[in-house]
């Protein structure tokens, strides 16, 4: 069964550094999402993406964040200047249609020191 | 925006007993309600979902009920097994394309022998 994949599984970075988290959505899916989960807390929406543009974003997704679909398979989340509070598990998800089931990747655990 | 409340935060049951987790939502326009199971350090995995045109859905030992008038939905697990031990998240999705999922705060279910 096709699955969403994410790399790296873990990322440690210094405060102020840029990080890029990578995702490969399920191949026939058209809608892509990023969520994050701070340790022990609930999953929070960051951004949704369709047809090469952002569909919706949360108040967490400020100017330090950006998303891109650089080619036909990858979907990336960039954090330009990381803060301590960006430490979290970041999940990518994809869905075939906008109203369809969202399937989650295994996550990237980001630790900002 | 949408707000999802989930109770209880922890639930301990004996193997073979039933478990019930309840969620309420605030946005009457929400029309899709998935339940995800998350094992420690793993991705959220969809276990069952329900759309607003249905009052109940069952899949083997798992069932979900929806009361649109009261804006609440519940997950029922019968004949619980140790492998059911995990954190369970409810979520709600509103109307529109690429709509985000708003998650509840999670319920840690422990099934004891």
């Amino acid at each position: 069964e096709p699955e969403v994949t994410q790399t790296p599984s873990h990322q440690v970075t210094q405060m102020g550094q840029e990080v890029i988290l990578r995702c490969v959505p399920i191949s026939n899916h058209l809608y892509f999402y990023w969520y994050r989960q701070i340790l022990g807390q609930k999953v929070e929406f960051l951004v949704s993406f369709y047809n090469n543009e952002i569909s919706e974003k949360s108040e967490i997704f400020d100017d330090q964040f950006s998303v891109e679909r650089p080619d036909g398979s990858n979907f990336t989340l960039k954090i330009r200047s990381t803060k301590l509070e960006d430490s979290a598990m970041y999940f990518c998800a994809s869905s075939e249609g906008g109203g369809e089931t969202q399937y989650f990747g295994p996550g990237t655990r980001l630790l900002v020191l | 925006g949408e707000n999802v409340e989930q109770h209880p935060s922890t639930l301990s049951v004996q193997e073979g007993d039933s478990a019930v987790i309840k969620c309420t939502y605030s946005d009457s326009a929400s029309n899709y309600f998935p339940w995800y199971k998350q094992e420690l350090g793993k991705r959220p995995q969809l276990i069952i979902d329900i759309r607003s045109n249905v009052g109940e859905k069952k899949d083997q030992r798992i069932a979900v009920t929806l009361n649109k008038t009261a804006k609440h939905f519940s997950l029922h697990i019968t004949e619980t097994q140790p492998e059911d031990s995990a954190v369970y998240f409810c979520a709600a999705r509103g109307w529109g394309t690429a709509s985000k999922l708003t998650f509840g705060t999670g319920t840690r279910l422990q099934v004891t022998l």
Side-chain angles (χ1 to χ4, degrees), chain B:
Chain B
E2 175 68 278
N3 183 49
V4 178
E5 302 280 344
Q6 183 171 350
H7 300 280
S9 57
T10 60
L11 180 59
S12 182
V13 299
Q14 283 201 317
E15 183 180 6
D17 287 350
S18 295
V20 180
I21 303 170
K22 298 181 179 181
C23 288
T24 61
Y25 61 99
S26 61
D27 188 352
S28 56
S30 290
N31 60 5
Y32 173 70
F33 307 93
W35 285 89
Y36 286 85
K37 175 183 180 182
Q38 187 179 32
E39 296 175 34
L40 192 62
K42 301 274 184 74
R43 76 184 80 193
Q45 293 214 301
L46 180 77
I47 54 170
I48 196 166
D49 56 13
I50 191 167
R51 298 184 188 272
S52 57
N53 59 344
V54 175
E56 184 174 358
K57 184 176 178 180
K58 191 173 180 182
D59 182 4
Q60 299 183 336
R61 296 186 298 109
I62 294 172
V64 56
T65 58
L66 171 65
N67 183 327
K68 283 180 60 181
T69 305
K71 289 190 280 191
H72 68 70
F73 56 112
S74 300
L75 177 71
H76 304 254
I77 306 174
T78 58
E79 300 171 28
T80 53
Q81 300 166 3
E83 51 266 37
D84 294 329
S85 297
V87 178
Y88 291 80
F89 290 97
C90 64
R93 188 184 65 209
W95 187 257
T97 56
S99 289
K100 65 181 182 184
L101 291 174
T102 301
F103 283 83
T105 47
T107 296
R108 182 173 299 280
L109 174 65
Q110 181 71 43
V111 180
T112 57
L113 295 173

Side-chain angles (χ1 to χ4, degrees), chain A residues 38-80:
Chain A
I38 295 170
L39 189 64
Q41 297 186 23
K42 66 179 176 180
V43 177
E44 299 175 289
F45 170 78
L46 293 178
V47 66
S48 59
F49 190 86
Y50 168 70
N51 200 26
N52 279 320
E53 60 183 28
I54 289 174
S55 296
E56 187 177 1
K57 59 184 181 180
S58 71
E59 61 274 10
I60 302 169
F61 194 89
D62 61 22
D63 292 345
Q64 294 300 311
F65 290 86
S66 62
V67 289
E68 192 179 26
R69 186 144 164 89
D71 53 44
S73 60
N74 290 283
F75 179 52
T76 62
L77 174 69
K78 182 192 291 185
I79 310 174
R80 286 190 188 81

